[in-house]
Amino acid sequence: MTILWNWLFVEFLLELVQGRVLVMFSRRCVKKVENVEDSRQLGFLDLPELVMEGILTRLPAVALCQMAGVCRELRKKCRSNHLWEALVYEKWGKVTGRLAFAEWQLGLAAREECGSEPCSRSSGIWLWPLSCILPVSWMNPQAQRRSKAAVGENSLMAWYWDLETGRFRFPAQVYNRENGHVGFMLSCYDAEVSYNSATDAFLASYPPHGPRTSVYEEDVPWERVRAPPVDTAAHELHASDCLHDLRPGDHIEVQWRRNRDFPYGWWYGIVGHTDLCPRNHQCQCHLHEIVWLEFNQYTLGSRWRKAPINRANHCEEGNEGEGFYGGVRKLRTKEEISIWTKLWPSEKLE
């Protein structure tokens, strides 16, 4: 059975690459409409349902789009959410979160309120990749509503292509903003990003910082973009739920901002020892009311090297000279920690 499955899949991919499979599918669909039976040729829709499903789940996004343009029956199958769920997660799962999806759905509602005329932000959004799904004669402004129906405007297929084409700018966070500017090293800030398929990178727009206007950064690579790990907005204090668990050596992120007009960024650090701790099995730092956060990317003696926070009654702490420290989140996975260590600066910061 495994050999037969692999053979069917390989043959299918070969036909797809050579451009013949869509013709065969189209021919078969026409025959179904005309009630013409041809026992000499096996069409794709004649395959067992499980075999057909297995093939469709192995197709990349573009191929699945092309398949959807063959006939009505395949269109219904190929735009099914359960096929696109894995594709969405594989490509976009680490950079988009619940907030991004919720904002996209709000955008759909806004588009519906525009009526028959397309909204300015979404104008042309359906012209590609629908050009490989629908006849060219459909690709005109008067037929855009018909195009949307072919995809399913609120489907995961539509969500995937709104991200892929860069039409939807979504909320995310960017490590080492402004191309690793020294003032933001080992931090992660909120931004609105859009994908550029030509460069396989992102355009990031950072919100204003006090008197500063919005800052834009092009060609941000995938490894510097993440979905927000918590739902706390950039100007809100995160409610810390890990303070009583913190021990020396724990990896953390802490909110920090230069002054109260600025939004918070998340900064990487570790939990350190008190000055009087013997730093051995007799360590009692986890029982102290004050937790010392260390930022080892800075040199010894730097004013940014260490910061104390109150474990029992924590709120925003700091001053205009050294900035303000907000909520703390403990990093609990090796993957989260490894991302920060890969971004470590080549030289100590002052």
Side-chain angles (χ1 to χ4, degrees), residues 232-248:
T232 308
H235 284 275
E236 295 178 0
L237 179 69
H238 175 66
S240 308
D241 59 0
C242 63
L243 295 180
H244 292 285
D245 300 330
L246 294 179
R247 293 172 174 267

Side-chain angles (χ1 to χ4, degrees), residues 12-156:
F12 169 77
L13 290 179
L14 288 174
E15 291 288 338
L16 182 62
V17 172
Q18 293 169 3
R20 294 196 296 267
V21 73
L22 295 180
V23 176
M24 182 184 78
F25 291 170
S26 181
R27 189 179 300 142
R28 179 57 186 159
C29 290
V30 171
K31 288 180 181 180
K32 287 176 71 69
V33 173
E34 296 177 350
N35 249 345
V36 176
E37 295 295 335
D38 183 359
S39 59
R40 295 170 299 173
Q41 182 176 6
L42 177 68
F44 179 72
L45 293 173
D46 292 316
L47 293 174
E49 190 70 25
L50 287 177
V51 175
M52 195 187 314
E53 184 81 4
I55 292 173
L56 293 178
T57 57
R58 285 164 170 77
L59 290 180
V62 172
L64 201 56
C65 263
Q66 292 173 332
M67 291 281 288
V70 172
C71 66
R72 183 175 300 174
E73 188 170 347
L74 280 176
R75 184 178 305 145
K76 182 179 179 181
K77 290 180 180 295
C78 292
R79 73 183 191 189
S80 174
N81 277 348
H82 82 274
L83 290 177
W84 286 91
E85 184 175 4
L87 293 171
V88 168
Y89 180 79
E90 180 183 3
K91 183 159 189 177
W92 307 108
K94 292 186 178 181
V95 297
T96 60
R98 291 177 298 177
L99 179 61
F101 189 70
E103 287 199 7
W104 176 72
Q105 290 181 311
L106 288 174
L108 294 183
R111 289 208 290 256
E112 289 179 1
E113 292 179 2
C114 290
S116 58
E117 293 298 323
C119 299
S120 59
R121 181 171 178 178
S122 60
S123 177
I125 193 170
W126 301 103
L127 295 185
W128 190 87
L130 287 181
S131 58
C132 68
I133 301 177
L134 303 174
V136 175
S137 60
W138 284 22
M139 295 297 101
N140 57 73
Q142 291 75 22
Q144 284 196 11
R145 292 183 67 187
R146 189 178 179 186
S147 304
K148 294 174 185 179
V151 171
E153 186 168 348
N154 63 349
S155 67
L156 290 181

